[in-house]
Amino acid sequence: MIKPISAVFGASLLTVSVYSAAAAELVIKQAKIYTQNEAQPWASAMAVQDGRIVYVGDDRGADKYIGPNSETLVLNKQLILPGLVDAHVHPGLGAVKDLYECNFPFSAGPAEVAATVAECYKNTGADEWIRGGQWSSNFFVDNQIASPRKFLDKVSPDKPVALVDDSYHNAWFNTLGLAKLGIDGSHIDGVEIEMGADGKPNGVVVEAFGLIQQRMPWKPEQYKAAAAYVVKTANRFGITGIKGTSMPAAEAEGFRQQEQQGKLSLHVAMAQATPYGHRHKPLDVAVYDKIRQSFKDSAIDANFIKIFMDGVPTAARTAAMLAPYTVVAGQQATRGALHIPADLLTRDVVALDKAGYTIKIHTAGDRSVRVALDAIEAARKANGDSGLRHELAHAGYVDAADMPRFKQLNAVADLCPYIWSPSPIIDSVIAAVGNPRAERYWPIKDLVESGAPVLAGSDWPAAVASMNPWPGLESMVTRADPTGQFPGTLWAEQAVSLEQ
């Protein structure tokens, strides 16, 4: 069996060792190979030996690699690209959602949600949760539901229900679900429990992601099944590398099992999970060192850490912004909130950078972007240039004063999710942030032209239906919805070229 071709990260496909005397196991000819090598951007042939690319060039040069046992493919100008890397994905969450949860589309209205949950109720055991989603960020803005809790009680009176929104930050529970999580109206630090007219929780919990992760963990065997699903799904889309973001050790174990079975045709980086929500104590680096050490002899690269600095700039208004959001009737103006005080983030980043971790910091608002850049700058001053390129995830809003700092600090703008065009979640963001600044979202072209390092990831299952990268790549070029469902463009001036 031909081994998977090893991906070449951040380098040309021509950066290979050439075994001119050895016949290759696979020779491809008459193809259109895009190399990303400025000296030779296109080639027509390649050869693979022992699972590695040993030649990229013209058809004549490939002939010397053809032996009696070589497989030769003539592709008639079909396109070959380097393997894609999804550098920001929640693989276990996405796979578990597809395999086990009660799902409806982002566009679902109340009737469709009720019908879906009612059907899932029939197929769920007496003591089991009905988990799923994802309702739109604007669901409770567009649909006036007096009591979201009682709405779910009607279709599931005696089985707990937990439905996440499109961002995965917020959740919707029925009465039994709230009771099982111990939510009775009491304060939970960093979590907003919305209250109903009767003085009881109405079922909607803002910034509930951490609560669900801590109190509703998935079973190890489900994560193992999830890993197998992710490998097949990623490879089907041309993805050969992923960075699992906020990944618990149990999830990474699923990928280790795939490796042990000889089925891991993915490079897997593990951005270890840190506590979600408001935090007032520094991270204990020794905890993450122990996890890193446990994967040392595996193909799982655990030299990464994920920190959440804020929430999302949707109707929830939880991303930390420099200027206030639009004001909701009956509520006070807000700029969102930082999950972690600036000085504590700086302390964590300095310590983690010194320990050799690349840090991915969730920064959905322009204020959290600034605070995160300040922390990286402090790490550079304290430790010198470690060479580690720390990442600012969801840097969709960036103040002009902070734009050049990405290049100066060698900090990466992590541009995801793949929502760079009109969509329901964009409608929610624009309504919450308010124009004209709201539509100045995802400044991809400005970042590229400033010399900032950039990457892209799906953030699946948050706000996207799958980890398919191709619609996202199209919307980077067009700034229009690739499905054609939602008209118009989003800040068309920030479109980049196909080559970029």
Side-chain angles (χ1 to χ4, degrees), residues 1-4 227-228 231-232 235 253-266 299:
M1 184 177 73
I2 296 172
K3 300 175 184 177
V231 170
K232 291 180 180 179
N235 289 168
E253 283 294 342
F255 289 100
R256 195 206 302 260
Q257 184 183 65
Q258 288 292 296
E259 178 193 4
Q260 293 168 343
Q261 296 174 355
K263 298 177 180 179
L264 186 61
S265 52
L266 276 179

Side-chain angles (χ1 to χ4, degrees), residues 16 55 115 164 211 214 218 245 249 342 346 361 376 398 411 421 444 498:
V16 295
Y55 171 79
V164 296
L211 194 69
Q214 294 163 13
W218 287 103
T245 302
T346 295
I361 309 173
I376 294 170
V398 181
S421 60
I444 300 174
L498 185 58

Side-chain angles (χ1 to χ4, degrees), residues 81-111:
L81 299 172
L84 299 179
V85 180
D86 189 336
H88 186 140
V89 61
H90 302 271
L93 283 181
V96 163
K97 172 181 166 58
D98 283 2
L99 293 172
Y100 301 110
E101 291 193 345
C102 179
N103 301 313
F104 44 83
F106 304 137
S107 58

Side-chain angles (χ1 to χ4, degrees), residues 418 421-422 470-475 478-486:
Y418 282 137
S421 60
W470 301 102
L473 291 168
E474 178 179 336
S475 65
T478 66
R479 306 288 293 205
D481 173 26
T483 70
Q485 297 178 72
F486 308 104

Side-chain angles (χ1 to χ4, degrees), residues 184-431:
D184 57 6
S186 59
H187 174 73
I188 299 177
D189 191 23
V191 176
E192 179 187 339
I193 302 167
E194 294 192 358
M195 306 301 288
D198 57 2
K200 298 180 180 179
N202 75 359
V204 177
V205 181
V206 178
E207 288 298 295
F209 177 75
L211 194 69
I212 290 174
Q213 294 298 95
Q214 294 163 13
R215 303 187 187 184
M216 299 171 60
W218 287 103
K219 299 174 183 177
E221 58 266 28
Q222 292 171 317
Y223 274 134
K224 290 176 182 178
Y229 180 87
V230 168
V231 170
K232 291 180 180 179
T233 302
N235 289 168
R236 181 163 59 90
F237 292 130
I239 295 169
T240 58
I242 61 171
K243 179 175 286 184
T245 302
S246 194
M247 183 185 282
E251 181 180 340
E253 283 294 342
F255 289 100
R256 195 206 302 260
Q257 184 183 65
Q258 288 292 296
E259 178 193 4
Q260 293 168 343
Q261 296 174 355
K263 298 177 180 179
L264 186 61
S265 52
L266 276 179
H267 296 273
V268 178
M270 172 191 183
Q272 298 185 47
T274 61
Y276 184 89
H278 289 214
R279 176 166 57 84
H280 306 286
K281 295 182 179 180
L283 296 173
D284 183 353
V285 177
V287 170
Y288 307 101
D289 287 344
K290 185 176 181 179
I291 295 172
R292 176 167 62 177
Q293 183 66 25
S294 72
F295 287 97
K296 183 177 180 181
D297 296 325
S298 76
I300 314 303
D301 186 347
N303 289 293
F304 305 88
I305 297 284
K306 174 67 180 289
I307 295 175
F308 284 90
M309 269 308 289
D310 62 355
V312 286
T314 62
R317 292 169 169 79
T318 52
M321 303 293 286
L322 291 169
Y325 288 93
T326 57
V327 178
V328 177
Q331 297 184 10
Q332 293 183 338
T334 180
R335 295 189 300 146
L338 296 171
H339 283 194
I340 306 167
D343 58 345
L344 182 56
L345 176 69
T346 295
R347 180 173 175 176
D348 286 340
V349 171
V350 169
L352 291 167
D353 177 77
K354 185 176 182 179
Y357 290 98
T358 298
I359 311 157
K360 186 186 287 290
I361 309 173
H362 174 107
T363 54
D366 49 12
R367 180 157 57 109
S368 59
V369 165
R370 176 167 295 176
V371 170
L373 289 170
D374 289 345
I376 294 170
E377 184 175 355
R380 299 292 190 233
K381 291 177 180 177
N383 302 331
D385 187 353
S386 64
L388 301 174
R389 303 200 311 170
H390 304 303
E391 304 164 1
L392 272 61
H394 313 298
Y397 286 112
V398 181
D399 189 79
D402 293 316
M403 187 68 67
R405 301 179 70 197
F406 285 87
K407 179 181 179 180
Q408 293 165 4
L409 298 170
N410 200 21
V412 182
D414 176 355
L415 302 169
C416 65
Y418 282 137
I419 302 178
W420 304 316
S421 60
S423 68
I425 197 169
I426 290 295
D427 291 343
S428 183
V429 170
I430 290 174

